[in-house]
């Protein structure tokens, strides 16, 4: 007879499946493999699923490239207008559209409910793939009967969809690079490096190690002179430099963000990198900042906001120390992709850290309960005080890993005894 699952085991199993799906996504650019990985992770029993990418020549059309029907995945090449998708007016939003029961849903219009019912769709889940505010694809899951997706899997789905969007965006950029004969070798090498960063980032489950690797990799990949990562406090009043490469005196410095013009710009438009091409003279920066950049020899800066669930949690800062060197258009585009990859990785690290913490707490509670139950059972079998004391010393010693233990009894003048352990 098997033992019941330990507390926290369900969460650990889900994280393991999420990492398996994530590994498949990062290791492939094939829509069939990516759709199969996400469909298997959801494990919700949808009768049909499809993965579509937006047409590169017509942004109003989607090209369905992979379909799952009755549990079987196959490759397709079907063009479908985006207007035919459910809630097409909100399809470019970041949020996932989850409709467990079409007939009872308050978001869908009546004519759309009727159309879906006519298509024998009673439950649907639609996840847009978005990078830098641009819709690049869609994942759609449907079922002929009402169907509820487990909440933990639904929460994790957003990360997997974001990862898939990054993979397809990298693939698009790679295709663009191959089409450009003038800069083919340089662009292909740069994009290959970006893919290496994606693979490298996915390996880390410790936040500090992840950020240190990202700082180093960005300097190497984008040919900049210095990179620093800042994380904000809960109120976003202050930021701390938690990682940089190469190392300077900036590490662990706390910065005031309330009056920082770059942070204000990041909060206003967090989906776009901020580029200051002339950091020593641009009037958008305070005079003391411009003087500082002159003193330490920084000529151009870029700030890439880091977002989790739509909230700015920090930023990546990139510096150029050469007077005639500037950020190229390609580098600017790649900044956003790397920022998205790092954000997903940070969120995964938070998830696994929280899950481990919860599992540790639950296991400690279980061990304590087991000790109490064991002591109670042994106490009930004995009424001799010496046996009870011996049981207590032995069991506590086992739990604490002690080699020796003793109980001292002090007798008061009134003849009463007080126990101390």
């Amino acid at each position: 007879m098997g033992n019941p699952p330990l507390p926290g085991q369900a969460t650990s199993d889900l994280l393991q499946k999420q990492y398996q799906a994530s590994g498949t996504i990062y290791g492939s650019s094939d829509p069939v493999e990516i759709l199969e990985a996400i469909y298997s992770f959801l494990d919700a029993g949808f009768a049909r699923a499809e993965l579509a990418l937006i047409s590169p020549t017509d942004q109003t059309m989607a090209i369905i490239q992979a379909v799952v029907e009755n549990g079987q995945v196959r490759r397709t090449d079907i063009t479908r207008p985006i207007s035919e998708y459910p809630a097409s007016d909100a399809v470019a939003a970041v949020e996932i559209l989850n409709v467990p029961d079409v007939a009872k849903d308050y978001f869908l219009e009546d004519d759309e409910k009727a159309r879906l019912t006519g298509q024998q769709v009673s439950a649907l889940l639609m996840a847009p793939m978005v990078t830098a505010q641009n819709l690049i694809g869609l994942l759609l899951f449907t079922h002929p009967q009402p169907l509820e997706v487990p909440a933990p899997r639904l929460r994790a789905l957003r990360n997997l969809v974001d990862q898939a969007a990054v993979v397809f965006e990298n693939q698009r950029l790679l295709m663009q690079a191959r089409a450009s004969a003038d800069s083919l070798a340089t662009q292909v090498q740069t994009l290959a490096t970006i893919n290496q960063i994606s693979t490298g980032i996915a390996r880390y489950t410790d936040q500090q190690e992840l950020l240190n690797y990202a700082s180093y990799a960005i300097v190497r990949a984008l040919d900049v002179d210095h990179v620093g990562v800042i994380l904000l406090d809960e109120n976003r009043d202050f930021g701390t430099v938690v990682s940089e490469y190469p190392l300077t005196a900036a590490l662990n410095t706390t910065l005031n963000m309330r009056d920082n013009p770059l942070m204000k710009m990041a909060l206003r438009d967090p989906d776009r990198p901020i580029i200051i091409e002339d950091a020593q003279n641009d009037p958008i920066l305070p005079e003391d900042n411009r003087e500082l950049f002159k003193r330490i020899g920084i000529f151009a800066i870029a700030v890439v906001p880091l977002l989790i669930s739509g909230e700015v949690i920090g930023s990546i800062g990139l510096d150029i120390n050469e007077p005639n060197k500037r950020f190229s258009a390609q580098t600017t585009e790649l900044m956003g992709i790397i920022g998205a990859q790092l954000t997903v990785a940070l969120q995964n690290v938070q998830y696994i850290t929280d899950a481990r913490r919860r599992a540790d707490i639950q296991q400690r509670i279980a061990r304590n309960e087991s000790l109490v139950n064991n002591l109670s059972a042994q106490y009930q079998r004995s009424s001799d005080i010496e046996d009870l004391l011996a049981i207590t010393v032995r069991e506590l010693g086992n739990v604490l890993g002690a080699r020796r233990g003793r109980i001292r009894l002090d007798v008061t003048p009134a003849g009463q005894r007080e126990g101390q352990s």
Side-chain angles (χ1 to χ4, degrees):
M1 184 173 180
N3 295 324
L6 292 173
Q9 183 174 336
T11 301
S12 299
D13 290 344
L14 178 62
L15 282 170
Q16 180 63 32
K17 292 177 181 177
Q18 181 179 348
Y19 274 113
Q20 289 175 353
S22 178
T24 299
I25 292 170
Y26 271 136
S28 173
S29 58
D30 186 349
V32 171
E33 293 180 358
I34 290 175
L35 176 60
E36 186 175 26
I38 295 177
Y39 180 85
S40 299
F41 168 79
L42 272 179
D43 194 26
F46 283 105
R48 190 178 191 279
E50 66 182 53
L51 186 154
L53 297 179
I54 302 304
S55 169
T57 58
D58 186 353
Q59 297 297 301
T60 67
M61 304 297 290
I63 302 174
I64 303 172
Q65 301 197 353
V67 170
V68 175
E69 288 180 314
N70 300 319
Q72 300 297 316
V73 62
R74 58 184 174 86
R75 196 177 309 278
T76 63
D77 187 16
I78 303 171
T79 301
R80 179 182 183 185
I82 294 177
S83 59
E84 291 185 6
Y85 280 86
S88 59
D89 56 339
V91 80
V94 175
E95 290 77 19
I96 291 174
L97 176 63
N98 179 35
V99 183
D101 191 341
V102 168
K104 297 179 181 179
D105 189 79
Y106 295 102
F107 180 80
L108 298 174
E109 300 291 343
D110 290 340
D111 57 344
E112 197 160 49
K113 290 182 180 180
R115 180 165 63 88
L116 290 169
T117 301
Q119 297 172 352
Q120 297 185 336
V121 174
S122 294
L124 66 90
L125 177 64
M126 186 170 67
M129 291 183 284
V130 179
T131 61
Q133 294 184 314
N134 295 318
L135 178 69
I136 67 165
L138 288 160
L139 286 159
L140 178 64
F141 304 83
T142 59
H143 197 70
Q145 300 295 329
L147 183 66
E148 186 75 43
V149 179
R153 293 181 186 268
L154 192 60
R155 288 193 294 268
L157 176 63
R158 178 73 269 166
N159 280 343
L160 296 178
V161 172
D162 287 344
Q163 292 168 9
V166 168
V167 168
F168 289 126
E169 183 67 358
N170 284 353
Q171 186 182 33
R172 181 187 70 82
L173 293 173
L174 185 60
M175 293 174 64
Q176 286 184 349
R178 287 173 175 164
S180 176
D182 293 337
S183 58
L184 178 61
T186 301
Q187 292 182 10
V188 170
Q189 180 59 43
T190 300
L191 290 169
T193 304
I194 296 299
N195 287 329
Q196 290 176 4
I197 292 177
S198 302
T199 305
I201 283 176
R203 292 199 307 263
Y204 291 95
T205 58
D206 177 82
Q207 177 172 287
Q208 191 60 54
E209 292 179 355
L210 168 66
L211 295 176
N212 289 344
Y213 170 80
S215 299
Y216 165 79
I218 292 171
V219 169
R220 298 293 299 274
L222 301 187
D223 190 27
V224 295
D225 299 307
H226 178 264
V227 165
V229 180
I230 292 176
L231 294 183
L232 303 179
D233 66 357
E234 292 184 0
N235 298 321
R236 296 192 293 195
D237 291 332
F238 296 92
T240 302
V241 180
V242 295
S243 179
E244 64 168 346
Y245 183 84
L247 291 176
T248 70
L251 191 62
N252 298 322
T253 300
T254 299
L255 306 173
N256 185 345
M257 292 296 171
R258 285 173 295 195
D259 303 317
N260 188 302
L262 293 177
M263 183 52 60
K264 290 179 180 179
M265 293 171 64
L267 293 174
R268 281 197 301 267
D269 192 4
D271 294 304
R272 299 184 183 278
I274 300 164
I275 309 295
I276 307 294
E277 293 286 7
D278 188 359
Q280 298 185 2
N281 300 294
D282 196 315
I284 198 171
L285 297 175
E287 183 177 355
D288 57 346
N289 282 20
R290 298 197 300 268
E291 291 300 322
L292 172 64
F293 292 146
K294 289 179 183 178
R295 190 165 61 252
I296 62 180
I298 292 178
F299 291 90
I301 61 174
V303 176
V304 182
L306 295 175
L307 294 171
I308 290 184
S309 301
E311 296 290 331
V312 177
I313 64 156
S315 65
I316 308 171
L318 299 86
D319 304 328
I320 287 178
N321 301 336
E322 299 179 22
N324 298 320
K325 185 177 175 182
R326 292 294 182 266
F327 298 105
S328 67
Q330 184 187 27
T331 297
T332 302
E333 187 173 22
L334 294 177
M335 288 178 195
I337 296 173
I338 294 174
Q341 293 172 336
L342 183 56
T343 297
V344 171
L346 281 170
Q347 199 161 16
N348 282 342
V349 167
Q350 289 183 3
Y351 285 151
I352 196 168
T353 300
D354 291 345
R356 285 172 175 170
R357 186 182 300 114
R358 288 194 299 269
D360 288 343
I361 292 173
Q362 293 294 336
Q363 288 177 349
R364 285 199 297 271
I365 292 173
R367 286 196 299 267
N368 291 341
E369 289 179 348
S370 176
L371 171 63
V372 171
N373 293 336
N374 188 28
L375 284 173
S376 298
Q378 294 190 57
Y379 286 163
Q380 292 174 4
R381 292 196 296 266
S382 177
S383 59
D384 182 78
I385 185 63
E386 292 186 359
D387 287 345
L388 294 177
L389 294 176
I391 291 170
T392 302
V393 171
R394 183 178 66 251
E395 295 300 328
L396 287 177
N398 289 337
V399 171
L400 299 175
R403 298 176 59 186
R404 299 178 61 188
R406 64 179 181 176
I407 294 179
R408 188 180 68 191
L409 298 178
D410 291 336
V411 180
T412 63
Q416 297 176 343
R417 293 190 298 177
E418 297 178 352
Q420 294 182 334
S421 64

